[in-house]
Amino acid sequence: MDDDTATEILGATFRALCQHGCAALTVKDIAAEADRSKATVHYYYDSRENLCREFLDFLCERYTARILDVDGSTPREELDSLLDTVLTDERQTPGQEFRTAILEIKAQAPYNDAFRTQLAKFDAVLFDRFREIIAAGIETGEFDSAVEPAVTAQFLVTGITGAHARHVATDRSIDQFSEAITRCVETDFRAETPVEATR
Amino acid sequence: MDDDTATEILGATFRALCQHGCAALTVKDIAAEADRSKATVHYYYDSRENLCREFLDFLCERYTARILDVDGSTPREELDSLLDTVLTDERQTPGQEFRTAILEIKAQAPYNDAFRTQLAKFDAVLFDRFREIIAAGIETGEFDSAVEPAVTAQFLVTGITGAHARHVATDRSIDQFSEAITRCVETDFRAETPVEATR
């Protein structure tokens, strides 16, 4: 028994969550997915709730690292790369199942302090990253100085959250939102935008 | 036993849903809230799933009526009134509990055809209403002809969905989004916008 086993169990939790959803997920499902006994899972995580919290921490850490890691030679490239990470990568298998599980966790947040704290922390990480990139783009003159970093970052995080939720609830494609955002960045963000291209 | 009882049970479902959440909701809770026996609830709705589906229909009908009813003497007034309906009214008690229950239902949608169909229908109603109002405003010359009704309506529905989801998941206020949208309408939608006010 070692730390690798603990991490392995979190990986199994991810796969079990995608298969069964959050509400129906049991320690038995996770043990089956990890090919371990329920006792082993309980040795590392003493309750289902504790396991779920640890899993969300693990997920947020991984996702935060990806968000902090996006790079590019200019703020515009960084912005494109970040949008790609949050909108494109998530479309990959098992994207839909995973997003559904995350939406279930969000719906549990008002009843679960640990979930709410972790989701708020992650929301803030995403917001800060967008705000920093936009501010850097204004600084270098790549983005229009009329773009307000904080307001725009709030819009982007809200829109991304909505695009994911609509995709789960109604099967509406994220691509449409992704294309609209890209067009918006092309026209609204660009410095010295001619008046006819401001939308 | 009459239609009023059936509607009364749906009202009790709403209150029970706000109290217990969707996943934990039982017919017993609904019966207690309606001050009826479980047998009476079952007489009208033969299964919990059937009751949940009927309840979602009932909710969407009421909400659709409110959305179609928004009026104003100009498209701009109609737009303000619609944004008020979807962003302000929902803040009222028991707004938070209700939005949480709706988010739970959204997270169930991939596993439930009836939920997904109804949520998609409602999503389309909201989208159509925004698109119509924006198109009417361009027609009357009140909104800038560069605003694209369909693209903008998608943005608004996505943003509203995201504002509600973020509010449930992280407790972030809807007001901030509401104010940002109002500013955006003030500046971006207005016909003959001077270039320095396009953001």
Side-chain angles (χ1 to χ4, degrees):
Chain A
M1 305 256 192
D2 49 27
D3 276 2
D4 285 353
T5 309
T7 309
E8 200 185 287
I9 291 171
L10 294 180
T13 303
F14 176 83
R15 297 189 301 276
L17 189 67
C18 289
Q19 256 183 61
H20 304 279
C22 177
L25 188 70
T26 64
V27 170
K28 196 179 155 195
D29 297 327
I30 296 165
E33 192 61 49
D35 208 10
R36 302 271 174 176
S37 67
K38 274 176 68 179
T40 304
V41 175
H42 278 301
Y43 173 86
Y44 285 92
Y45 305 99
D46 58 5
S47 67
R48 181 184 174 281
E49 199 192 322
N50 186 17
L51 174 54
C52 284
R53 194 176 55 241
E54 289 285 333
F55 172 69
L56 192 60
D57 286 358
F58 160 81
L59 208 65
C60 284
E61 255 175 49
R62 274 212 325 193
Y63 208 48
T64 297
R66 275 172 60 200
I67 280 169
L68 298 177
D69 267 4
V70 296
D71 57 6
S73 56
T74 63
R76 172 60 204 271
E77 278 183 25
E78 283 183 350
L79 184 64
D80 287 347
S81 170
L82 181 53
L83 286 168
D84 240 38
T85 299
V86 293
L87 291 170
T88 317
D89 283 5
E90 297 245 329
R91 276 202 299 276
Q92 289 166 4
T93 313
Q96 176 70 345
E97 289 78 10
F98 175 61
R99 267 191 306 270
T100 302
I102 291 293
L103 199 62
E104 281 188 88
I105 290 173
K106 285 182 178 175
Q108 291 302 313
Y111 311 114
N112 187 316
D113 287 348
F115 284 3
R116 196 166 62 255
T117 304
Q118 193 57 270
L119 289 167
K121 202 169 116 189
F122 180 70
D123 184 280
V125 166
L126 190 57
F127 166 76
D128 284 343
R129 195 75 184 99
F130 274 120
R131 191 184 50 182
E132 278 165 18
I133 293 174
I134 296 164
I138 293 167
E139 191 77 18
T140 63
E142 201 179 6
F143 297 150
D144 192 328
S145 62
V147 175
E148 294 177 55
V151 174
T152 309
Q154 286 294 359
F155 255 71
L156 288 172
V157 176
T158 304
I160 288 159
T161 307
H164 288 164
R166 282 180 88 196
H167 184 48
V168 170
T170 69
D171 232 359
R172 188 173 280 280
S173 162
I174 291 180
D175 290 2
Q176 219 173 12
F177 177 74
S178 181
E179 282 158 24
I181 279 288
T182 305
R183 270 176 59 193
C184 173
V185 170
E186 294 280 351
T187 54
D188 280 8
F189 283 35
R190 193 187 298 249
E192 292 165 40
T193 313
V195 71
E196 67 272 22
T198 49
R199 188 137 297 97
Chain B
M1 304 255 193
D2 49 27
D3 276 3
D4 285 353
T5 309
T7 309
E8 199 185 288
I9 291 170
L10 294 179
T13 303
F14 175 84
R15 296 189 300 276
L17 190 67
C18 289
Q19 257 183 59
H20 304 279
C22 178
L25 188 70
T26 63
V27 170
K28 196 177 155 197
D29 298 328
I30 296 165
E33 192 61 49
D35 207 9
R36 302 268 174 178
S37 68
K38 275 175 68 179
T40 303
V41 175
H42 277 302
Y43 173 86
Y44 285 94
Y45 304 99
D46 58 4
S47 67
R48 180 184 175 282
E49 199 190 324
N50 187 17
L51 174 55
C52 283
R53 195 176 55 242
E54 290 285 332
F55 172 69
L56 192 59
D57 286 358
F58 160 82
L59 207 65
C60 284
E61 256 174 50
R62 276 211 324 193
Y63 208 47
T64 297
R66 276 172 58 199
I67 280 168
L68 297 178
D69 267 4
V70 296
D71 57 6
S73 57
T74 64
R76 171 61 204 270
E77 278 184 27
E78 282 183 352
L79 185 63
D80 287 347
S81 170
L82 181 53
L83 286 169
D84 240 39
T85 299
V86 294
L87 292 170
T88 316
D89 283 4
E90 298 245 327
R91 276 202 299 274
Q92 289 167 2
T93 313
Q96 176 70 345
E97 291 78 8
F98 177 60
R99 269 190 306 270
T100 302
I102 291 294
L103 198 63
E104 281 188 88
I105 291 173
K106 285 182 179 175
Q108 290 303 311
Y111 311 115
N112 187 316
D113 287 346
F115 284 3
R116 198 167 60 254
T117 304
Q118 191 59 269
L119 289 168
K121 205 169 113 188
F122 179 70
D123 185 279
V125 166
L126 190 58
F127 166 76
D128 285 341
R129 194 75 185 98
F130 274 120
R131 191 183 50 183
E132 278 165 18
I133 292 174
I134 296 164
I138 293 167
E139 190 77 19
T140 62
E142 201 178 7
F143 297 151
D144 192 329
S145 63
V147 176
E148 294 177 55
V151 174
T152 310
Q154 287 295 359
F155 255 71
L156 288 172
V157 176
T158 303
I160 288 159
T161 307
H164 288 164
R166 282 181 89 195
H167 184 49
V168 170
T170 69
D171 232 1
R172 188 173 281 278
S173 164
I174 291 180
D175 290 2
Q176 218 172 14
F177 177 74
S178 181
E179 282 159 23
I181 279 288
T182 305
R183 270 176 59 192
C184 173
V185 170
E186 294 280 352
T187 53
D188 280 8
F189 283 34
R190 193 186 298 249
E192 292 165 38
T193 313
V195 71
E196 67 272 20
T198 50
R199 185 135 299 96

